[in-house]
């Protein structure tokens, strides 16, 4: 074991002992069990989001939204909208609005990964999404994963994001097993002859230039097993129950409309959803030979001396920069005909 690796593990262990937190020890025991039952990492691929830091020494990078977008351009579009609405709602100063709108104009025309506007440095952030896997598939929620106090099945507004405001820097409160995973992931790169050379080269370069790893808050999602592969079905949620409610909504409301279920399919999926709800904290259900599971999903972001890693040249794009909002002048007047 390299000395640096061992020193960091020893420091994490010492911190855990110092805190003398029984709940933390139980969580560590869960994590150890998971490492045996689900020893493999199933990497889904890159995810993207938006981070910012105030200019000045020592200011941290913080996430402005969820790191869940599938392409860099989707994250750039989010920055475009953020700055446009800042110009619309957050200032009456013509010079400030002019600076914000100049940045919007650039984002409409160029695939920009970083901008500094009015003393704030914005950056498109790249992460990797993965889950643990074992003989029976992807890891479900652990007994110690937090559940909402109100485990309602009723429709309600989207739960608050765990990513917003998250600091992309050292986390002194992480557990021993999470810390060990973070350290081990420092050497992770995309490999295999089936992958394009440019993708592999970018991955190796990132491991050199952004050697540290930050683990984002754990999320939960719905996955469907098809043959030997698991495929995600829907957005990531902050708690297992939020993911369970998402699954029930899909089975009873969304999928019947999206896939034009016949009467028999509607009835079967609705009955299965009621059975799933009555089980309380169930994490798996099979309907018509289709297996759905609530899965534990993790994400990592690489960090270097200048902050978090941004988009790589080999990252896939599906759209181009474009105009997203009506033209606004420096007085805040919106021109819908332009």
């Amino acid at each position: 074991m390299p000395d640096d690796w061992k020193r960091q593990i020893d420091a994490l262990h010492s911190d855990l002992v110092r805190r003398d937190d029984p709940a933390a020890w139980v969580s560590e025991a869960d994590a150890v069990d998971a490492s045996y039952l689900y020893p493999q990492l199933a990497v889904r691929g890159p995810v993207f989001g938006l981070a910012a830091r105030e200019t000045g020494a020592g200011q941290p990078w913080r996430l402005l939204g969820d790191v869940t977008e599938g392409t860099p351009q989707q994250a750039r579009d989010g920055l475009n909208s953020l700055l446009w609405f800042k110009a619309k709602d957050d200032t009456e100063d013509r010079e400030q609005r002019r600076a914000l709108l100049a940045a919007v104009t650039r984002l409409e025309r160029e695939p920009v990964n970083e901008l500094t506007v009015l003393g704030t440095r914005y950056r498109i952030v790249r992460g990797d999404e993965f889950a643990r896997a074992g003989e029976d598939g992807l890891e479900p929620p652990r007994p110690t994963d937090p559940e909402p106090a109100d485990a309602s099945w009723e429709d309600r507004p989207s739960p608050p994001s765990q990513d917003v405001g998250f600091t992309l820097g050292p986390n002194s409160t992480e557990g021993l097993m999470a810390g060990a995973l973070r350290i081990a992931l420092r050497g992770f790169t995309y490999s295999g002859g089936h992958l394009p050379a440019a993708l592999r080269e970018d991955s190796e370069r990132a491991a050199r230039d952004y050697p540290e790893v930050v683990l984002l808050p754990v999320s939960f999602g719905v996955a469907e097993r098809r043959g030997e592969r698991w495929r995600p079905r829907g957005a990531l949620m902050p708690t297992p129950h939020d993911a369970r409610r998402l699954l029930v909504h899909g089975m009873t409301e969304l999928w019947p409309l999206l896939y034009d279920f016949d009467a028999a399919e509607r009835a079967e999926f609705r009955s299965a959803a009621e059975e799933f709800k009555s089980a309380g904290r169930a994490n798996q259900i099979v309907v018509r030979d289709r297996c759905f599971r609530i899965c534990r999903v993790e994400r990592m972001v690489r960090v270097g001396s200048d902050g978090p890693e941004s988009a790589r040249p080999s990252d896939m794009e599906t759209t181009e920069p474009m105009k997203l909002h009506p033209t606004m002048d420096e007085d805040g007047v919106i021109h819908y005909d332009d």
Side-chain angles (χ1 to χ4, degrees), residues 87 94 97-98 101 326-335:
R94 296 177 72 193
R97 186 177 288 118
R98 191 182 304 122
L101 294 175
T327 300
M328 186 189 313
D329 64 28
E330 62 186 19
D331 294 312
V333 178
I334 299 173
H335 302 271

Side-chain angles (χ1 to χ4, degrees), residues 42 75 94 197 225 298:
R94 296 177 72 193
R225 188 167 198 162
E298 301 186 64

Side-chain angles (χ1 to χ4, degrees), residues 185-206:
L185 286 170
R186 288 165 57 176
F188 165 74
T189 60
Y190 291 161
S191 60
H194 65 290
L195 297 174
L199 190 150
R200 299 196 306 270
E201 291 167 3
D202 279 353
S203 180
E204 292 166 1
R205 188 180 305 112

Side-chain angles (χ1 to χ4, degrees), residues 7-234:
R7 279 197 298 271
Q8 293 189 56
I9 292 296
D10 287 345
L12 289 165
H13 181 266
S14 297
D15 180 67
L16 188 62
V17 172
R18 178 185 57 78
R19 283 189 280 147
D20 192 24
D21 183 349
W25 283 106
V26 175
S27 295
E28 288 301 317
D30 266 0
V32 171
D33 289 344
S35 71
Y36 286 104
L37 292 172
Y38 302 95
Q40 303 166 345
L41 294 185
V43 180
R44 181 184 176 191
V47 286
F48 302 88
L50 181 63
R53 66 182 291 266
E54 302 304 313
T55 55
Q59 296 299 314
W61 285 93
R62 298 184 186 276
L63 294 179
L64 299 182
D66 293 325
V67 183
T68 55
E69 299 290 1
T71 69
Q73 188 56 47
Q74 288 174 309
R76 293 184 200 109
D77 290 344
L79 177 56
N80 182 324
S81 291
L82 174 71
L83 297 179
W84 191 89
F85 280 103
K86 277 184 174 292
K88 175 179 176 291
D89 300 326
D90 294 350
T91 184
E92 295 298 329
D93 184 282
R94 296 177 72 193
E95 185 175 346
Q96 290 183 357
R97 186 177 288 118
R98 191 182 304 122
L100 290 163
L101 294 175
V104 169
T105 298
R106 189 176 175 196
L107 286 162
E108 292 173 346
R109 299 171 181 173
E110 303 174 37
V112 182
N113 289 327
E114 184 167 317
L115 284 171
T116 299
V117 188
L118 299 179
T120 300
R121 189 177 174 190
Y122 299 93
R123 179 178 293 180
I124 305 306
V125 172
R126 183 194 192 280
D128 279 291
E129 182 182 306
F130 61 94
R132 290 187 176 274
E135 291 184 2
D136 72 333
L138 299 181
E139 181 189 9
R142 299 173 186 171
T144 49
D145 284 328
E147 298 278 6
D150 176 21
S152 169
W153 293 100
E154 300 298 322
D155 288 341
R156 61 185 186 186
S158 297
S161 169
Q162 298 183 101
D163 287 2
V164 173
F166 186 83
T167 300
L168 295 174
N171 184 355
S172 61
T173 62
E174 70 182 351
L176 179 62
M177 291 298 290
L181 174 62
R182 173 180 56 78
I183 295 168
L185 286 170
R186 288 165 57 176
F188 165 74
T189 60
Y190 291 161
S191 60
H194 65 290
L195 297 174
L199 190 150
R200 299 196 306 270
E201 291 167 3
D202 279 353
S203 180
E204 292 166 1
R205 188 180 305 112
R208 293 194 303 268
D209 295 346
Y210 300 90
E212 300 299 327
V213 167
V214 174
L215 295 177
L216 301 188
V218 174
S219 299
F220 303 86
V222 179
E224 179 182 358
R225 188 167 198 162
R226 298 182 183 179
E228 296 300 316
R229 301 189 65 183
W230 291 87
R231 299 181 183 276
R233 298 297 303 267

